[in-house]
Amino acid sequence: MKRNKIIQTTLNLNRFTFWLSIVGGTALILYIGYLFIFPESYPDIKILNDGNISTFYLCTECDYTAKSIPITEVGSEMKIWILLRLATMGLLFILITNEVIKILKSVRDYKTFHNQNMLYFKRIAKYTLAIAFFRTINFVDEGQHGIGLEIGFPLDLLLFALFSLSLSEVFKEGQLLQEDKDSIL
Protein backbone atom coordinates (compact mmCIF):
# COMPACT_ATOMS: atom_id res chain seq x y z
CA MET A 1 0.00 0.00 0.00
CA LYS A 2 2.88 2.34 0.74
CA ARG A 3 4.14 2.02 -2.85
CA ASN A 4 0.90 3.38 -4.26
CA LYS A 5 0.88 6.24 -1.77
CA ILE A 6 4.35 7.40 -2.83
CA ILE A 7 3.51 7.07 -6.52
CA GLN A 8 0.20 8.89 -6.01
CA THR A 9 2.01 11.73 -4.19
CA THR A 10 4.58 11.97 -6.99
CA LEU A 11 1.79 11.90 -9.57
CA ASN A 12 -0.05 14.71 -7.80
CA LEU A 13 3.15 16.74 -7.58
CA ASN A 14 3.74 16.28 -11.32
CA ARG A 15 0.17 17.28 -12.10
CA PHE A 16 0.64 20.41 -10.00
CA THR A 17 3.91 21.15 -11.82
CA PHE A 18 2.16 20.58 -15.15
CA TRP A 19 -0.60 23.10 -14.45
CA LEU A 20 1.74 25.55 -12.74
CA SER A 21 4.00 25.42 -15.81
CA ILE A 22 1.07 26.15 -18.11
CA VAL A 23 -0.22 29.07 -16.04
CA GLY A 24 3.21 30.47 -15.13
CA GLY A 25 4.62 30.01 -18.62
CA THR A 26 1.63 31.70 -20.22
CA ALA A 27 1.86 34.60 -17.79
CA LEU A 28 5.60 34.95 -18.40
CA ILE A 29 5.22 34.90 -22.19
CA LEU A 30 2.40 37.45 -22.03
CA TYR A 31 4.42 39.69 -19.71
CA ILE A 32 7.55 39.57 -21.84
CA GLY A 33 5.43 40.03 -24.97
CA TYR A 34 3.87 43.12 -23.41
CA LEU A 35 7.32 44.47 -22.54
CA PHE A 36 8.45 43.92 -26.11
CA ILE A 37 5.37 45.53 -27.66
CA PHE A 38 5.40 48.53 -25.33
CA PRO A 39 9.07 48.99 -24.35
CA GLU A 40 8.68 52.72 -23.81
CA SER A 41 6.39 51.97 -20.86
CA TYR A 42 9.39 50.56 -19.01
CA PRO A 43 12.50 52.47 -20.18
CA ASP A 44 14.52 51.34 -17.11
CA ILE A 45 14.33 47.65 -18.02
CA LYS A 46 17.32 46.16 -19.78
CA ILE A 47 18.07 42.76 -21.20
CA LEU A 48 21.17 41.36 -19.58
CA ASN A 49 23.20 38.66 -21.21
CA ASP A 50 25.95 37.54 -18.90
CA GLY A 51 27.61 35.24 -21.41
CA ASN A 52 25.73 32.14 -20.29
CA ILE A 53 23.37 31.26 -23.11
CA SER A 54 20.92 29.51 -20.84
CA THR A 55 20.21 32.71 -18.90
CA PHE A 56 18.09 35.64 -19.87
CA TYR A 57 17.47 38.46 -17.43
CA LEU A 58 15.30 41.51 -17.40
CA CYS A 59 16.79 43.98 -14.95
CA THR A 60 16.49 47.63 -13.98
CA GLU A 61 19.95 48.15 -12.50
CA CYS A 62 22.27 45.90 -14.44
CA ASP A 63 25.97 45.66 -13.78
CA TYR A 64 27.68 48.12 -16.12
CA THR A 65 30.51 45.72 -16.88
CA ALA A 66 28.10 43.09 -18.14
CA LYS A 67 26.38 43.15 -21.49
CA SER A 68 23.06 44.87 -21.03
CA ILE A 69 20.88 46.58 -23.59
CA PRO A 70 17.88 48.80 -22.86
CA ILE A 71 14.71 47.06 -23.93
CA THR A 72 13.87 50.03 -26.17
CA GLU A 73 16.97 49.29 -28.30
CA VAL A 74 16.32 45.59 -28.83
CA GLY A 75 15.40 44.83 -32.45
CA SER A 76 12.12 43.21 -33.40
CA GLU A 77 13.88 40.11 -34.77
CA MET A 78 15.60 39.62 -31.43
CA LYS A 79 12.32 40.05 -29.57
CA ILE A 80 10.67 37.42 -31.77
CA TRP A 81 13.62 35.06 -31.23
CA ILE A 82 13.49 35.47 -27.45
CA LEU A 83 9.73 34.87 -27.33
CA LEU A 84 9.94 31.91 -29.71
CA ARG A 85 12.80 30.37 -27.76
CA LEU A 86 11.11 30.79 -24.36
CA ALA A 87 7.73 29.59 -25.61
CA THR A 88 9.18 26.53 -27.33
CA MET A 89 11.32 25.51 -24.37
CA GLY A 90 8.35 26.02 -22.05
CA LEU A 91 6.08 23.93 -24.26
CA LEU A 92 8.66 21.15 -24.43
CA PHE A 93 8.98 21.18 -20.62
CA ILE A 94 5.19 20.85 -20.35
CA LEU A 95 5.24 17.92 -22.80
CA ILE A 96 7.98 16.21 -20.77
CA THR A 97 5.94 16.65 -17.59
CA ASN A 98 2.90 15.19 -19.36
CA GLU A 99 4.90 12.10 -20.40
CA VAL A 100 6.13 11.64 -16.82
CA ILE A 101 2.51 11.80 -15.63
CA LYS A 102 1.58 9.03 -18.10
CA ILE A 103 4.44 6.85 -16.86
CA LEU A 104 3.47 7.36 -13.22
CA LYS A 105 -0.16 6.51 -13.97
CA SER A 106 0.83 3.22 -15.60
CA VAL A 107 3.12 2.33 -12.68
CA ARG A 108 0.37 3.23 -10.21
CA ASP A 109 -2.02 0.92 -12.08
CA TYR A 110 0.55 -1.93 -12.00
CA LYS A 111 1.10 -1.75 -15.78
CA THR A 112 4.76 -0.90 -15.40
CA PHE A 113 6.18 -2.88 -18.30
CA HIS A 114 3.77 -2.21 -21.11
CA ASN A 115 4.89 -0.98 -24.51
CA GLN A 116 3.75 2.62 -24.01
CA ASN A 117 6.22 3.37 -21.20
CA MET A 118 9.11 2.65 -23.54
CA LEU A 119 7.64 5.11 -26.04
CA TYR A 120 7.08 7.72 -23.32
CA PHE A 121 10.74 7.60 -22.32
CA LYS A 122 11.80 7.94 -25.97
CA ARG A 123 9.56 10.99 -26.33
CA ILE A 124 11.07 12.50 -23.18
CA ALA A 125 14.52 12.02 -24.72
CA LYS A 126 13.42 13.68 -27.99
CA TYR A 127 11.88 16.64 -26.18
CA THR A 128 14.99 17.01 -24.03
CA LEU A 129 17.21 17.01 -27.12
CA ALA A 130 15.03 19.72 -28.63
CA ILE A 131 15.45 21.84 -25.49
CA ALA A 132 19.20 21.17 -25.67
CA PHE A 133 19.19 22.48 -29.23
CA PHE A 134 17.53 25.72 -28.14
CA ARG A 135 20.02 26.07 -25.29
CA THR A 136 22.94 25.29 -27.60
CA ILE A 137 22.29 28.05 -30.11
CA ASN A 138 21.46 31.57 -29.05
CA PHE A 139 21.40 34.87 -30.86
CA VAL A 140 22.38 37.88 -28.79
CA ASP A 141 21.51 41.48 -29.57
CA GLU A 142 24.74 43.40 -29.16
CA GLY A 143 23.24 46.85 -29.69
CA GLN A 144 25.26 48.87 -32.19
CA HIS A 145 27.35 45.85 -33.14
CA GLY A 146 24.40 43.88 -34.51
CA ILE A 147 23.40 40.36 -33.57
CA GLY A 148 25.93 37.86 -32.25
CA LEU A 149 25.75 34.10 -32.19
CA GLU A 150 26.63 32.12 -29.08
CA ILE A 151 27.05 28.37 -29.06
CA GLY A 152 27.14 26.33 -25.87
CA PHE A 153 27.05 22.71 -24.81
CA PRO A 154 24.23 21.80 -22.39
CA LEU A 155 25.79 18.66 -20.95
CA ASP A 156 23.07 18.30 -18.31
CA LEU A 157 20.31 18.02 -20.91
CA LEU A 158 22.29 15.64 -23.09
CA LEU A 159 22.92 13.39 -20.10
CA PHE A 160 19.22 13.51 -19.16
CA ALA A 161 18.27 12.53 -22.73
CA LEU A 162 20.75 9.64 -22.60
CA PHE A 163 19.33 8.59 -19.22
CA SER A 164 15.79 8.64 -20.67
CA LEU A 165 16.87 6.51 -23.62
CA SER A 166 18.52 4.08 -21.20
CA LEU A 167 15.31 3.84 -19.18
CA SER A 168 13.44 3.18 -22.41
CA GLU A 169 15.68 0.17 -23.00
CA VAL A 170 15.25 -0.99 -19.40
CA PHE A 171 11.47 -0.89 -19.80
CA LYS A 172 11.76 -2.73 -23.11
CA GLU A 173 13.70 -5.52 -21.37
CA GLY A 174 11.16 -5.48 -18.54
CA GLN A 175 8.37 -5.90 -21.06
CA LEU A 176 10.14 -8.93 -22.59
CA LEU A 177 10.61 -10.48 -19.14
CA GLN A 178 6.95 -9.81 -18.31
CA GLU A 179 5.86 -11.53 -21.55
CA ASP A 180 8.11 -14.53 -20.74
CA LYS A 181 6.64 -14.72 -17.24
CA ASP A 182 3.08 -14.54 -18.57
CA SER A 183 3.75 -17.23 -21.21
CA ILE A 184 5.14 -19.58 -18.55
CA LEU A 185 2.03 -19.22 -16.41
Side-chain angles (χ1 to χ4, degrees), residues 129-156:
L129 288 174
I131 291 173
F133 172 76
F134 276 101
R135 279 192 43 199
T136 299
I137 298 174
N138 190 25
F139 298 101
V140 179
D141 194 339
E142 296 179 345
Q144 303 167 355
H145 306 292
I147 295 178
L149 173 68
E150 289 183 346
I151 297 177
F153 189 72
L155 184 61
D156 56 340

Side-chain angles (χ1 to χ4, degrees), residues 15-176:
R15 285 180 179 153
F16 176 75
T17 303
F18 177 79
W19 288 109
L20 183 66
S21 299
I22 289 175
V23 172
T26 302
L28 180 67
I29 296 297
L30 290 175
Y31 174 70
I32 292 174
Y34 178 79
L35 285 178
F36 288 166
I37 293 171
F38 304 107
E40 60 280 344
S41 301
Y42 301 95
D44 300 356
I45 294 182
K46 298 177 184 177
I47 293 179
L48 171 68
N49 187 340
D50 64 353
N52 182 356
I53 64 167
S54 64
T55 58
F56 165 74
Y57 298 105
L58 294 174
C59 56
T60 54
E61 296 180 16
C62 298
D63 182 11
Y64 292 111
T65 60
K67 291 181 179 179
S68 62
I69 300 168
I71 200 165
T72 54
E73 294 180 19
V74 175
S76 59
E77 299 88 11
M78 182 56 60
K79 291 176 184 177
I80 291 171
W81 167 250
I82 291 170
L83 279 174
L84 175 70
R85 185 172 181 247
L86 285 174
T88 303
M89 288 182 3
L91 177 65
L92 289 168
F93 176 77
I94 290 169
L95 291 173
I96 289 171
T97 306
N98 189 41
E99 296 300 318
V100 170
I101 289 171
K102 291 176 186 177
I103 292 168
L104 289 171
K105 282 182 181 178
S106 70
V107 171
R108 177 196 64 194
D109 297 338
Y110 298 105
K111 297 177 185 174
T112 305
F113 296 113
H114 72 87
N115 194 29
Q116 292 297 315
N117 280 346
M118 179 184 64
L119 296 175
Y120 297 151
F121 277 113
K122 283 186 179 182
R123 284 187 202 151
I124 289 171
K126 288 177 187 177
Y127 298 150
T128 304
L129 288 174
I131 291 173
F133 172 76
F134 276 101
R135 279 192 43 199
T136 299
I137 298 174
N138 190 25
F139 298 101
V140 179
D141 194 339
E142 296 179 345
Q144 303 167 355
H145 306 292
I147 295 178
L149 173 68
E150 289 183 346
I151 297 177
F153 189 72
L155 184 61
D156 56 340
L157 291 175
L158 296 174
L159 289 175
F160 184 75
L162 182 63
F163 179 70
S164 296
L165 285 174
S166 299
L167 281 176
S168 171
E169 290 301 313
V170 167
F171 275 77
K172 182 179 179 181
E173 285 298 315
Q175 179 187 9
L176 292 174

